Amino acid sequence: MASHLKMIISVELVGIDGVSQRCEIAKVDRSLDGARLNDFGLSLDEAKKIQRRLQQELTQFQTDQAAQRDRKCQDCSRRRSVHDSRHRTIHSLFGSCQVRVPRWCSCACGSTARLGMGSVETLLNGRATPELERIQAELGSRMSFREAARVLDIFVPATRPHNHRTVSNRLGKVADQIEKWDIAGPYRISRAGKSPVSVFIDGAYIRAVPGYQSRHFEIAMGRVVAQGRPPRQFAGAPNIATGKHDIVRAAMRAQGWLPGRDVTVFSDGEVGLQGIVLSATRQPVTHILDWFHLSMRLRHIEQAWEGIRHLQNLDVYLQNVAVHVPRLRHLLWSGYVREASEAVKQMLAQLDQHPGFHDAPGKIRRLYELINNLATYLGQNAASIVNYCRRYWSGQPISSSPAESAANSLVNARMNKKRQMRWTPIGAHRVLQVRAAVADGRLKQAKLDLAA
């Protein structure tokens, strides 16, 4: 009994005239004698060869059929003669396709071909397919450009290795189209009625390229949340044509925000971040100070006090500090800003009047600095401190944790942490646009004009 297997893979192509033709794509040979799991199905190299050959046959067939439509004169409907042929190379996800494109002579009626109106010009309008550019952009936003090129070499049937500069350039091209599409997007009517739109915004620093005006520059990123819609992420770098406020405004508009509708901003209290949202809305907004940042300042004071309260009977000499430190958290959690500010002033006054303060060890001075910093922080953000207890038990957000999550997913995972790459503002901005689109699922939905 024969133990040799032969699999012939062919494709049948049917043209616009109804005529079919069969083309053999590949032959796969297998033997049952001593067959192992490595012989099961197609190998990666065999699959890549089959895909490349299939793509080549299909693209040439499409080009021939489109050329036959262009051969007929649009004025007199007569078939024109072939002048010559030239080759075009189109890069696709399943390999580089070199197709033969005929050129036609002028018609005997004297009419000339209209540029850009033929089926071939429409079909071959570019050097790479949009699908390939989207895949390269997504991989380039998830990992380094060189690593993205190596991953493509493993799985994509290319005739030559992918270049990391090509991945970078096409990511920039896709990012520009995403930004253009977002900025030009219309207002979307939200189904959530008049419920406020929440903007969670935060900042992060990434390393700049040598020769930039500073060693680091700040990225503004976050999320826009509206009832009845999935969250929308945004990010922007400084010193680029598109301002950060334009990016925030586009994200809010995509979430159903309309001018005049209430906007609630959650941040760590930095004035610059609030200013971005104010410039985006061009109207007053409600700012809520992030409870996490406020709680961390209180935690530092509590830890510093616990470390020195038993030294030199400080519980007796610093009675106001001993009383107010445990209750500061409750006062601010319940929104009693005035009482908390008064307690901070009393603690500072008692520490300053302590007879041994100027000769005190560094721990007491550290406690004074922490309380003094809290006093400044409360003075700058007194209007943004709310009743966090009431909001928490009613299910409303009290912190900018969505912005912190956006910082991890957009910035830290690609540009900080263990990544050693340095960035220009425009390069970082483009990567962030693609990463945000990938995280939101907008990259697959975007109708991008990627023709070169």
Side-chain angles (χ1 to χ4, degrees):
M1 181 180 294
S3 60
H4 188 72
L5 303 179
K6 179 180 291 186
M7 292 168 280
I8 301 176
I9 303 173
S10 60
V11 59
E12 184 176 357
L13 305 172
V14 182
I16 56 178
D17 54 0
V19 178
S20 64
Q21 56 182 345
R22 185 178 294 273
C23 178
E24 183 177 307
I25 299 299
K27 293 181 180 179
V28 181
D29 296 328
R30 290 289 187 272
S31 177
L32 295 180
D33 295 335
R36 298 181 179 180
L37 190 60
N38 291 335
D39 302 321
F40 187 76
L42 294 174
S43 65
L44 179 60
D45 291 336
E46 290 173 339
K48 290 166 67 174
K49 291 178 181 178
I50 293 173
Q51 287 178 338
R52 184 166 59 246
R53 178 66 190 280
L54 179 61
Q55 186 79 330
Q56 180 66 43
E57 293 294 336
L58 179 59
T59 53
Q60 184 62 60
F61 181 72
Q62 284 183 287
T63 305
D64 293 340
Q65 295 296 312
Q68 291 301 320
R69 293 187 61 180
D70 295 342
R71 187 173 187 178
K72 183 182 294 186
C73 179
Q74 297 181 359
D75 295 335
C76 64
S77 299
R78 285 187 290 188
R79 291 166 60 88
R80 296 179 291 174
S81 302
V82 178
H83 181 270
D84 60 7
S85 298
R86 59 176 57 183
H87 290 84
R88 290 279 306 276
T89 301
I90 305 296
H91 301 283
S92 70
L93 187 59
F94 300 109
S96 298
C97 306
Q98 190 176 39
V99 294
R100 184 181 63 259
V101 182
R103 295 197 304 170
W104 311 112
C105 297
S106 299
C107 185
C109 67
S111 64
T112 57
R114 299 177 177 86
L115 296 177
M117 297 296 293
S119 300
V120 175
E121 286 84 355
T122 304
L123 179 64
L124 306 180
N125 184 22
R127 299 181 59 185
T129 60
E131 184 182 31
L132 175 62
E133 295 191 342
R134 275 195 287 263
I135 294 297
Q136 289 177 326
E138 180 173 351
L139 290 177
S141 68
R142 292 180 180 272
M143 58 189 71
S144 67
F145 298 133
R146 294 182 186 273
E147 189 65 23
R150 282 191 285 267
V151 171
L152 288 170
D153 288 337
I154 294 175
F155 296 103
V156 175
T159 55
R160 60 181 182 179
H162 289 81
N163 188 278
H164 67 280
R165 292 303 308 171
T166 302
V167 176
S168 175
N169 293 336
R170 288 179 178 167
L171 180 142
K173 187 177 179 181
V174 172
D176 292 342
Q177 289 292 329
I178 291 175
E179 189 174 76
K180 180 181 177 182
W181 191 54
D182 289 344
I183 297 299
Y187 287 97
R188 292 175 173 83
I189 303 300
S190 176
R191 299 177 181 177
K194 296 184 178 180
S195 59
V197 174
S198 299
V199 179
F200 301 87
I201 189 169
D202 198 2
Y205 288 90
I206 62 175
R207 291 182 293 271
V209 294
Y212 188 65
Q213 58 188 8
S214 60
R215 294 183 60 185
H216 299 79
F217 57 87
E218 185 178 13
I219 298 293
M221 74 280 154
R223 288 182 181 176
V224 180
V225 179
Q227 186 178 355
R229 291 180 180 272
R232 174 69 174 261
Q233 302 192 57
F234 64 87
N239 303 327
I240 58 173
T242 304
K244 297 178 182 178
H245 61 281
D246 294 326
I247 298 173
V248 175
R249 187 177 181 88
M252 294 171 57
R253 192 166 57 228
Q255 291 295 90
W257 175 80
L258 296 173
R261 186 176 172 184
D262 294 338
V263 176
T264 304
V265 182
F266 294 83
S267 74
D268 58 1
E270 185 179 348
V271 179
L273 298 177
Q274 303 176 42
I276 294 174
V277 184
L278 285 173
S279 300
T281 58
R282 303 166 190 168
Q283 67 183 36
V285 298
T286 301
H287 179 254
I288 296 179
L289 185 64
D290 174 35
W291 169 251
F292 173 76
H293 287 84
L294 183 58
S295 177
M296 289 304 298
R297 291 176 180 267
L298 297 175
R299 182 59 178 163
H300 293 160
I301 294 175
E302 292 168 353
Q303 290 177 337
W305 173 244
E306 287 296 327
I308 64 173
R309 58 178 299 180
H310 299 296
L311 300 176
Q312 301 175 359
N313 296 324
L314 291 181
D315 279 338
V316 178
Y317 293 105
L318 300 177
Q319 187 175 4
N320 286 340
V321 178
V323 171
H324 292 315
V325 167
R327 60 190 294 263
L328 268 180
R329 182 177 295 274
H330 168 72
L331 292 176
L332 293 174
W333 174 252
S334 301
Y336 299 120
V337 186
R338 183 180 303 175
E339 291 80 355
S341 300
E342 185 63 29
V344 168
K345 291 179 181 179
Q346 293 179 9
M347 288 190 292
L348 289 175
Q350 192 171 60
L351 283 171
D352 196 27
Q353 294 174 2
H354 189 269
F357 172 71
H358 298 286
D359 299 329
K363 291 184 178 181
I364 297 182
R365 289 186 173 275
R366 175 60 177 166
L367 175 64
Y368 182 87
E369 292 175 359
L370 292 173
I371 298 177
N372 189 37
N373 292 338
L374 178 63
T376 304
Y377 194 65
L378 294 179
Q380 293 175 347
N381 300 281
S384 302
I385 299 177
V386 297
N387 191 333
Y388 297 100
C389 180
R390 182 182 303 169
R391 290 184 61 89
Y392 176 78
W393 289 111
S394 62
Q396 297 177 326
I398 60 173
S399 70
S400 60
S401 56
E404 302 288 344
S405 176
N408 287 329
S409 62
L410 296 182
V411 180
N412 294 335
R414 179 64 175 88
M415 302 176 180
N416 287 335
K417 302 292 185 182
K418 296 182 180 179
R419 304 288 182 176
Q420 302 300 320
M421 190 172 180
R422 295 180 179 270
W423 299 86
T424 61
I426 184 62
H429 180 77
R430 286 171 171 170
V431 171
L432 289 171
Q433 301 313 302
V434 178
R435 283 189 68 87
V438 170
D440 296 340
R442 293 183 285 121
L443 184 61
K444 296 180 180 179
Q445 303 173 1
K447 299 178 180 179
L448 306 178
D449 182 17
L450 299 175

